[in-house]
Amino acid sequence: MAQARLKPVFDIDRTVDALRRALPADAARAPLHEPRFAGREWDYLKECLASSFVSSVGAFVTRFEQQMAEAAGTARAIAVVNGTAALHVCLLLAGVRTEDEVLAPALTFVATANAIRYCGALPHFVDADAVTLGVDPERLADHLRAVGERRGGETINRRTGRRIAAIVPMHTFGHPVDMEPLLALAEEWGLFVIEDATESLGSRYKGRPTGAWSRLAAFSFNGNKIITTGGGGAITTDDERLAQAAKHLTTTAKLPHPWAFVHDQVGFNYRMPNLNAALGCAQLEQLAEFLAAKRALAERYREALADLPGVSFVAEPPFARSNYWLNALLLDERHAGEREGLLQRCNEAGLACRPAWTLMHRLPMYRDCPRMDLPVAESIERRLVNLPSGVGLAPAGGG
Ligand SMILES: *Cc1c(COP(=O)(O)O)cnc(C)c1O
């Protein structure tokens, strides 16, 4: 009996102490994700101002697009104003129309679902995989067999009568979705695949970067992402025709002419300003360094949490190399009720920890959307805590 009493149990203070020890001793407070500007950001911004090209045309935009294509492992990258706009245009180029359904994770940031609604389509929510935290291809296969019907080359949701046009796998916190079975499933059901790679710049699935696994992918360079342009995004593709269409649609669909203003469709002003691209060029030059730092920090958390009862560190899937954009721990299901207490103690101790997003099907505008059963996403929602993950928190020598 005495031994049973000595058995270690989950303890909030011990967990907070372990997280603190994973961080540099001199970090008085640890924001969730602070950007770092230690490269040529100032030089490029000054150069940009001196050129007077601060807006939507300029040399840094072109240069950023080339650097970004290289980083993403694709032939082309089109810089845009933010990641949400990138997703919106990807969906339009994929042929998503009003009254379509688009498969998307329930566990995601709201932009994934919003971009689908911007096209007049409806998100159809898919459950998460317990390891990747992204779309679970195996359970999705069962769901499609239950609700899907192939009709004239298209997939129809038998329950709603609507076409299921596409799927948007999101690489949660940088951890890649299991893409090979997902692509096979998409092929079987004729679904256009668009990776939401907004969190996973620099992550690799089976050696190839995320974003290079689908015909179109969306990236974000918001202030809290692994690299930032202030606000910004990119569309990546290997398809030259799609790249040209993406550029056209995001630049007001203006026909090239030295002075005449002729537009051939309702385009968008989704251009990334040159000023933001200048920042992005300097940031992308540091990507390898940022990745090393983030992986070193993840390793510190993994070690710190390894022997603690009641919690586990969210590690990269075995087939992937994650950018560890946002570190996370999961409380064991029986301690889920102590999550708010842990968040409170962490934040009091200067660690800006956060819960996962409220699942999409709980938000008022998405409550009535079609969905499969979501037990794994709902369990993750109850148990997950995101940990401070900025590059500046990496151990010395880690980056
Ligand atoms: C960051 C993010 C986006 C895009 O965000 P923007 O702020 O529009 O750049 C989209 N989806 C997910 C999952 C994200 O994390």
Side-chain angles (χ1 to χ4, degrees):
M1 289 320 285
Q3 241 175 356
R5 238 176 289 127
L6 285 174
K7 220 175 113 189
V9 291
F10 171 69
D11 181 86
I12 289 182
D13 289 321
R14 276 183 64 199
T15 307
V16 177
D17 286 347
L19 294 173
R20 260 253 150 258
R21 279 199 307 277
L23 299 171
D26 59 353
R29 44 167 217 111
L32 188 67
H33 202 291
E34 209 169 42
R36 178 150 77 174
F37 305 115
R40 295 199 274 199
E41 285 87 352
W42 280 111
D43 295 341
Y44 292 171
L45 285 170
K46 281 182 194 153
E47 205 180 304
C48 186
L49 291 177
S51 77
S52 89
F53 284 95
V54 293
S55 196
S56 44
V57 180
F60 281 113
V61 174
T62 312
R63 183 159 144 193
F64 181 70
E65 288 179 336
Q66 283 161 358
Q67 273 177 258
M68 183 54 205
E70 201 171 311
T74 53
R76 294 287 307 275
I78 293 86
V80 295
V81 74
N82 57 48
T84 311
L87 282 165
H88 181 197
V89 171
C90 285
L91 288 156
L92 291 173
L93 293 175
V96 171
R97 304 184 300 251
T98 301
E99 290 299 310
D100 278 343
E101 290 178 13
V102 176
L103 299 164
L107 178 69
T108 187
F109 176 59
V110 71
T112 318
N114 285 348
I116 293 166
R117 282 303 288 146
Y118 297 167
C119 302
L122 287 171
H124 179 146
F125 297 117
V126 176
D127 201 13
D129 174 272
V131 173
T132 68
L133 312 184
V135 166
D136 178 342
E138 216 169 300
R139 299 232 350 277
L140 177 58
D142 293 341
H143 178 65
L144 281 172
R145 269 194 294 276
V147 306
E149 188 178 307
R150 294 290 284 160
R151 219 185 278 163
E154 297 189 329
T155 293
I156 306 297
N157 180 343
R158 218 182 288 128
R159 294 177 185 169
T160 62
R162 287 186 290 253
R163 175 173 86 127
I164 303 177
I167 178 163
V168 186
M170 195 277 281
H171 305 295
T172 312
F173 310 140
H175 304 315
V177 165
D178 196 358
M179 287 304 290
E180 275 176 348
L182 185 89
L183 291 170
L185 188 66
E187 172 85 28
E188 180 188 341
W189 290 92
L191 306 172
F192 200 111
V193 182
I194 295 161
E195 287 170 271
D196 180 340
T198 48
E199 305 188 348
S200 65
L201 175 62
S203 297
R204 286 169 182 271
Y205 171 77
K206 301 194 174 173
R208 198 199 299 175
T210 56
W213 284 87
S214 53
R215 282 171 68 196
L216 287 164
F219 286 86
S220 167
F221 315 114
N222 191 28
N224 60 355
K225 294 299 189 333
I226 184 165
I227 70 140
T228 185
T229 59
I235 298 163
T236 56
T237 183
D238 279 328
D239 184 323
E240 183 57 31
R241 192 188 56 81
L242 286 173
Q244 281 174 21
K247 193 72 183 174
H248 189 60
L249 202 53
T250 55
T251 56
T252 70
K254 183 180 178 296
L255 298 178
H257 191 281
W259 52 80
F261 284 90
V262 180
H263 308 258
D264 63 357
Q265 56 183 305
V266 181
F268 299 90
N269 180 10
Y270 278 173
R271 293 176 282 210
M272 176 187 282
N274 204 38
L275 209 45
N276 300 73
L279 193 58
C281 288
Q283 287 271 289
L284 268 182
E285 287 172 4
Q286 299 162 83
L287 179 60
E289 197 185 308
F290 288 179
L291 282 168
K294 292 179 84 66
R295 291 186 59 84
L297 175 58
E299 183 54 22
R300 296 275 299 190
Y301 279 131
R302 196 189 60 74
E303 284 169 9
L305 296 172
D307 299 323
L308 276 186
V311 296
S312 51
F313 178 65
V314 177
E316 64 195 356
F319 45 69
R321 220 177 137 76
S322 177
N323 70 359
Y324 280 103
W325 168 59
L326 212 48
N327 288 289
L329 64 74
L330 282 167
L331 293 164
D332 291 355
E333 190 67 65
R334 68 181 187 287
H335 298 301
E338 289 163 87
R339 205 257 310 257
E340 287 307 301
L342 177 61
L343 283 170
Q344 172 120 25
R345 283 285 298 112
C346 284
N347 281 278
E348 282 166 5
L351 309 179
C353 295
R354 296 283 180 271
W357 311 281
T358 298
L359 297 180
M360 293 302 107
H361 68 293
R362 299 191 203 284
L363 302 179
M365 60 286 194
Y366 296 125
R367 208 174 341 224
D368 300 324
C369 288
R371 61 176 193 254
M372 61 188 271
D373 289 337
L374 304 165
V376 179
E378 286 171 354
S379 165
I380 293 167
E381 182 192 38
R382 284 192 293 275
R383 302 187 292 123
L384 190 124
V385 173
N386 279 125
L387 308 173
S389 299
V391 165
L393 298 174

